[in-house]
């Protein structure tokens, strides 16, 4: 078994500013995100939201099989962050900053241009476990705040960091690339997102890619790149 690069058993909140633990501060981005998610989901009325719809949405059928890939995203996200948190701190920083950039951009869009999709089936076409699973997800996840799709934007970050992680075997990196591609498509088949949400997520992910990996053109960007390269 690989040895973690940091012994987290020694972590205490009083040590959060120590160099070996300071990267854990980035996890605070999730607290801000979930707070904003709660606000945007519950405080923006449906009538204020713009309906997101594309022509392909009428062609793509609901297919509960894709619920497997839609939910697999959660496991892949947690696994990726956890793995790099243990074994490669620079990669953890890059992925977490990538996620935070997409979160910030998406939340601004959700507030400035509230969105809603009306693609969900009124009744499930079949009675099976996956249909019941999607009905459960529908029950607690409102159809608002959908454009851009964070499922897709996060997937871009996961694919990027794993592809650049040369310690992973080529087969494993290709597997992650294919996984994130199928995950991105799955959001349309389970009617959680419009195809428009997927397309809008692409430039959001590319912006995060540039900020995390691109060539610096300002001093703050230079400092960010230096920080992300520190072990």
């Amino acid at each position: 078994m690989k040895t973690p690069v940091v012994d987290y058993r020694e972590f205490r909140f009083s040590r959060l500013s120590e160099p070996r633990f300071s990267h854990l501060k980035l996890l605070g981005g999730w607290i801000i995100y979930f707070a904003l998610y709660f606000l945007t989901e519950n405080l923006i009325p449906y009538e204020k939201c713009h309906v997101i719809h594309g022509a392909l949405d009428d062609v793509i059928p609901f297919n509960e099989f894709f619920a497997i890939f839609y939910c697999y995203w959660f496991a892949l996200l947690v696994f990726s962050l956890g793995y790099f948190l243990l074994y490669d701190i620079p990669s953890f920083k890059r992925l977490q900053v990538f996620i935070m950039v997409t979160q910030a951009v998406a939340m601004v869009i959700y507030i400035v241009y509230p969105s809603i999709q009306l693609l969900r089936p009124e009744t499930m076409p079949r009675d099976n476990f996956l249909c019941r699973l999607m009905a459960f997800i529908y029950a607690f996840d409102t159809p608002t705040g959908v454009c851009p799709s964070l499922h897709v934007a996060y997937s871009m970050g996961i694919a990027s960091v794993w592809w650049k992680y040369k310690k992973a075997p080529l087969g494993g990196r290709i597997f992650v690339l294919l996984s994130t591609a199928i995950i991105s498509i799955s959001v349309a088949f389970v009617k959680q997102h419009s195809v428009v949400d997927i397309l809008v997520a692409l430039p959001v992910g590319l912006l995060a890619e540039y900020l995390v990996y691109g060539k610096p053109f300002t001093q703050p960007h230079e400092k960010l790149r230096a920080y992300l390269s520190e072990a």
Side-chain angles (χ1 to χ4, degrees):
M1 180 178 292
K2 295 177 62 175
T3 302
V5 294
V6 175
D7 188 352
Y8 292 105
R9 293 173 299 179
E10 299 179 2
F11 173 73
R12 304 292 184 274
F13 279 105
S14 60
R15 296 181 173 180
L16 191 57
S17 294
E18 294 182 9
R20 60 174 173 163
F21 296 126
S22 61
H23 57 279
L24 295 175
K25 294 178 182 178
L26 291 174
L27 294 175
W30 288 100
I31 299 174
I32 298 173
Y33 165 70
F34 283 122
L36 290 174
Y37 173 82
F38 176 82
L39 292 175
T40 56
E41 286 282 295
N42 294 279
L43 297 184
I44 298 178
Y46 281 24
E47 57 269 22
K48 297 292 185 180
C49 295
H50 302 81
V51 177
I52 306 299
H53 183 271
L56 283 177
D57 296 325
D58 297 328
V59 178
I60 298 174
F62 172 84
N63 188 323
E64 68 273 20
F65 174 75
F66 284 90
I68 297 172
F69 302 104
Y70 182 82
C71 294
Y72 166 57
W73 173 85
F74 295 96
L76 183 61
L77 175 62
V78 171
F79 172 79
S80 298
L81 285 171
Y83 179 89
F84 292 123
L85 184 66
L86 291 175
Y87 303 117
D88 194 274
I89 302 303
S91 293
F92 166 78
K93 290 179 179 180
R94 294 182 187 110
L95 178 56
Q96 184 59 38
V97 171
F98 191 110
I99 288 171
M100 290 169 65
V101 170
T102 59
Q103 286 174 346
V105 173
M107 285 300 155
V108 170
I109 296 175
Y110 295 164
I111 294 171
V112 174
Y113 190 84
S115 55
I116 187 172
Q117 57 93 351
L118 305 176
L119 303 170
R120 296 176 176 180
E122 294 184 4
T123 59
M124 287 297 168
R126 289 163 289 277
D127 182 17
N128 54 44
F129 171 75
L130 292 177
C131 281
R132 291 192 292 271
L133 174 61
M134 286 312 306
F136 173 75
I137 293 174
Y138 289 170
F140 72 82
D141 186 14
T142 73
T144 61
V146 293
C147 186
S149 166
L150 284 178
H151 244 70
V152 175
Y154 288 7
S155 293
M156 293 175 68
I158 294 171
S160 178
V161 73
W162 276 107
W163 185 252
K164 295 177 178 68
Y165 185 60
K166 301 305 181 183
K167 293 182 180 179
L170 179 60
R173 287 183 280 145
I174 292 175
F175 174 79
V176 172
L177 285 179
L178 294 176
S179 294
T180 52
I182 296 175
I183 287 170
S184 298
I185 295 171
S186 74
V187 303
F189 281 93
V190 296
K191 300 304 178 180
Q192 279 289 79
H193 286 281
S194 163
V195 172
V196 176
D197 305 333
I198 298 174
L199 296 177
V200 175
L202 299 181
V204 175
L206 291 175
L207 171 63
E209 175 77 13
Y210 179 78
L211 291 176
V212 174
Y213 298 103
K215 295 180 180 179
F217 61 94
T218 62
Q219 189 61 25
H221 191 178
E222 180 69 37
K223 291 181 179 179
L224 175 61
R225 284 170 56 80
Y227 168 72
L228 294 174
S229 299
E230 294 175 355

